[in-house]
Amino acid sequence: MSMNAALEDFQKAYYERSAFDVAQFLKTDPVDRLYDFWHSTSESRVEHDVGNAVNYGLSGIERGEAKGWIDVLVDFWRASDKIIKADQSHNQGKLSEQQSVAVYEAWKALVTTLQKYIGNGTLPHWAVFTLSYVANDLRKFAIQADAQLAKAKPATFSTGLSDDIADTTPKNQKLEEAARVFSRIFALCMNDRNPNMYESRKWAVYCIANLQFKTYFKLKTITLCKNLIKSIGAQADMPAWELYPKAHRVTYMYYCGVIAFLQEDYQRAEVSLVNAWSFCHRESTKNRELILTYLIPCRLITQSQIPSAQVLQEFPHLQALFGDLVRSIKKGDLAGFDKAFAEGEPEFVRRRVFLTLERSRDIALRNLLRKVFLAAGYEDLKEGQTEKDRIRKTRIPLAHFAAALRMGSGGGQAVDDEEVECLLANMIYKGLMKGYISREHAMVVLNKKGAFPGTGV
């Protein structure tokens, strides 16, 4: 195949000014197309062949811009050369650390070239989105190179929101280098002062920020994410939020929610996660599931609210993750909660929801104490009163709560009065029940209206 034929898709994408289609050309798959491009020339002729194809194939292109695309395509060919040779070695079981690093370095050169020509205005403004797609592949190659350098198993990759799950690779030298490249791209976009907002590189800000979020989460340097959020929030001349692509907004809101969640700012986390959930495409099952992974424990804290059975049934992974825990909370089964929490601990830790879910035991305890309140029944009717006038008994012996705690905790272990008083006082302090403890009479006196806020009694 000639170079002109190999660049046919690129030329079509260029004339359509499609950043996505240009980026699709600069992809490493499908493999057949990559091999065709690779076979179209050689190292000794690549600059000459690409130059002729661009200069004669893209009629009317300015000389400076042509030089920029020629350098980009030459770098892409050299990266393809390294990728194909690494792929051949991998198929033979001979992939070396040096080859993985060579792929990463070649792709970094491609990203750097694109960044340089976009930064100096040589390439058109829409190419910044091409840069964002190509930069995302740099992250993938960096992880692969680090995995080889650490003599670990090859990492697996995902383009969804689940990239926030921390990797176990002990060394991240190349990914840290890639993070610095992404920071320079982010600055390139943020610092654009083009008065024509239509041509502003700021349209790629959230896309690049999302790539940085994924990278920082992988590197376990989540604190750096706060600087990104603060930097974006301080910009007064950004395009209107609602004009950005919905995919960029949903991902950004998701990460803002997770970051606030990890900082234990659950109110702010809930707002961001609810917004991400509202705008997330209904068919994006995996992404919606990841949003709920943090929204469910967040709602347990902010609203003492458990997810409905319908929601859990819609997402089997969430059913497996939270199902037993939610059932125990709903029943006020403390022993069941402790068992489900212990069994799910490894996954809760991996997903960074362990500490938050641990606090949800208070909701299970509240539901258990509420059962005691309901079991106490109603006060006797006085003369002249009707069924509408019935009110629940609000003076309940401390011993009743102690008995419930022994049963709910499993094993019927003894619970002394001081411990019971401590638990009840803590629930009252947290606003999960309203009333006071009368130590003199060993009674708990509950509020006549809203003894257990948010539960209907």
Side-chain angles (χ1 to χ4, degrees):
M1 177 183 286
S2 68
M3 179 58 69
N4 285 330
L7 292 181
E8 185 176 334
D9 288 343
F10 168 78
Q11 292 169 354
K12 180 181 178 182
Y14 174 81
Y15 281 126
E16 293 176 354
R17 300 296 190 265
S18 173
F20 176 77
D21 288 336
V22 172
Q24 287 299 105
F25 178 81
L26 301 175
K27 293 286 286 184
T28 59
D29 53 19
V31 176
D32 289 345
R33 183 189 57 78
L34 195 66
Y35 269 82
D36 288 341
F37 178 60
W38 181 60
H39 281 302
S40 66
T41 188
S42 63
E43 176 61 40
S44 61
R45 291 187 54 83
V46 61
E47 294 185 14
H48 175 270
D49 291 346
V50 170
N52 282 342
V54 169
N55 285 318
Y56 294 106
L58 300 179
S59 58
I61 190 172
E62 294 183 0
R63 184 174 181 179
E65 184 181 348
K67 174 67 165 60
W69 285 119
I70 290 169
D71 286 353
V72 167
L73 291 170
V74 168
D75 280 347
F76 178 56
W77 185 90
R78 286 172 175 156
S80 300
D81 178 63
K82 298 292 188 296
I83 292 167
I84 288 171
K85 289 176 180 177
D87 183 62
Q88 292 172 341
S89 297
H90 175 74
N91 293 335
Q92 298 169 3
K94 299 179 180 178
L95 180 63
S96 68
E97 298 170 8
Q98 290 77 12
Q99 284 180 300
S100 293
V101 172
V103 168
Y104 162 76
E105 295 293 348
W107 202 263
K108 186 173 75 169
L110 169 61
V111 172
T112 302
T113 298
L114 261 172
Q115 178 189 340
K116 179 181 73 173
Y117 285 116
I118 291 172
N120 64 21
T122 300
L123 296 185
H125 65 276
W126 52 262
V128 71
F129 286 106
T130 300
L131 173 60
S132 70
Y133 289 117
V134 175
N136 190 58
D137 284 336
L138 178 64
R139 177 178 173 275
K140 177 184 73 173
F141 290 130
I143 295 172
Q144 288 178 333
D146 285 332
Q148 286 294 323
L149 288 170
K151 300 185 182 299
K153 294 180 180 180
T156 55
F157 310 108
S158 167
T159 57
L161 299 182
S162 60
D163 281 345
D164 72 310
I165 303 301
D167 194 89
T168 56
T169 305
K171 295 180 181 179
N172 299 290
Q173 176 189 351
K174 299 305 176 184
L175 190 58
E176 288 173 358
E177 286 182 12
R180 290 191 285 272
V181 174
F182 303 152
S183 292
R184 291 193 289 272
I185 297 173
F186 180 77
L188 175 70
C189 297
M190 286 291 286
N191 296 332
D192 188 4
R193 295 294 179 261
N194 191 331
N196 184 349
M197 189 54 69
Y198 175 74
E199 296 183 354
S200 175
R201 292 191 294 267
K202 285 190 166 89
W203 288 106
V205 162
Y206 290 108
C207 183
I208 301 300
N210 293 335
L211 176 58
Q212 289 180 280
F213 284 150
K214 293 178 182 181
T215 305
Y216 291 149
F217 269 77
K218 208 75 167 176
L219 291 171
K220 300 181 183 179
T221 54
I222 300 173
T223 52
L224 295 177
C225 297
K226 293 188 291 184
N227 296 333
L228 281 179
I229 298 172
K230 185 177 179 181
S231 176
I232 292 174
Q235 288 289 313
D237 58 347
M238 294 275 286
W241 164 256
E242 61 272 12
L243 297 180
Y244 280 89
K246 187 180 289 186
H248 297 183
R249 287 183 285 147
V250 169
T251 305
Y252 184 78
M253 288 186 291
Y254 164 77
Y255 276 108
C256 286
V258 174
I259 292 162
F261 179 91
L262 296 177
Q263 294 173 332
E264 300 184 4
D265 187 348
Y266 297 114
Q267 297 291 345
R268 187 157 57 91
E270 182 181 8
V271 171
S272 293
L273 291 170
V274 167
N275 285 334
W277 171 263
S278 300
F279 288 99
C280 189
H281 198 286
R282 286 200 60 82
E283 294 183 4
S284 299
T285 304
K286 187 173 183 180
N287 289 349
R288 295 176 80 223
E289 184 177 279
L290 283 159
I291 293 169
L292 285 177
T293 299
Y294 296 95
L295 184 55
I296 286 173
C298 191
R299 279 273 174 87
L300 281 169
I301 300 299
T302 59
Q303 301 185 28
S304 302
Q305 183 182 84
I306 61 175
S308 66
Q310 182 181 356
V311 168
L312 293 180
Q313 288 172 2
E314 186 179 350
F315 301 96
H317 288 102
L318 295 181
Q319 176 70 55
L321 187 65
F322 297 123
D324 291 342
L325 209 62
V326 167
R327 280 189 290 272
S328 299
I329 292 173
K330 189 174 182 179
K331 291 164 56 180
D333 180 3
L334 299 180
F337 178 94
D338 293 340
K339 181 175 182 293
F341 189 73
E343 290 175 351
E345 180 176 343
E347 189 65 13
F348 296 152
V349 170
R350 191 176 80 88
R351 292 180 179 270
R352 306 184 181 93
V353 297
F354 176 83
L355 294 176
T356 306
L357 289 176
E358 188 176 37
R359 296 177 184 179
S360 67
R361 192 178 192 273
D362 284 344
I363 314 303
L365 176 58
R366 180 205 63 183
N367 290 342
L368 176 61
L369 300 178
R370 180 177 178 271
K371 285 185 175 183
V372 176
F373 174 63
L374 295 176
Y378 295 86
E379 298 283 0
D380 294 333
L381 289 175
K382 297 179 181 179
E383 186 177 350
Q385 289 184 325
T386 65
E387 288 298 323
K388 291 182 179 180
D389 300 316
R390 280 193 181 274
I391 60 172
R392 291 192 175 276
K393 292 181 179 179
T394 55
R395 294 173 60 85
I396 302 172
L398 203 62
H400 290 189
F401 289 107
L405 286 167
R406 284 196 298 271
M407 296 173 62
S409 299
Q413 66 264 33
V415 182
D416 57 40
D417 290 347
E418 287 78 10
E419 186 177 353
V420 174
E421 288 181 15
C422 181
L423 288 170
L424 292 172
N426 197 37
M427 297 298 284
I428 294 170
Y429 172 76
K430 292 179 178 179
L432 294 173
M433 62 187 288
K434 289 186 177 181
Y436 64 90
I437 301 169
S438 174
R439 300 194 70 185
E440 181 181 355
H441 299 95
M443 299 285 285
V444 178
V445 183
L446 294 170
N447 196 310
K448 292 182 179 181
K449 294 182 179 181
F452 291 87
T455 67
V457 296

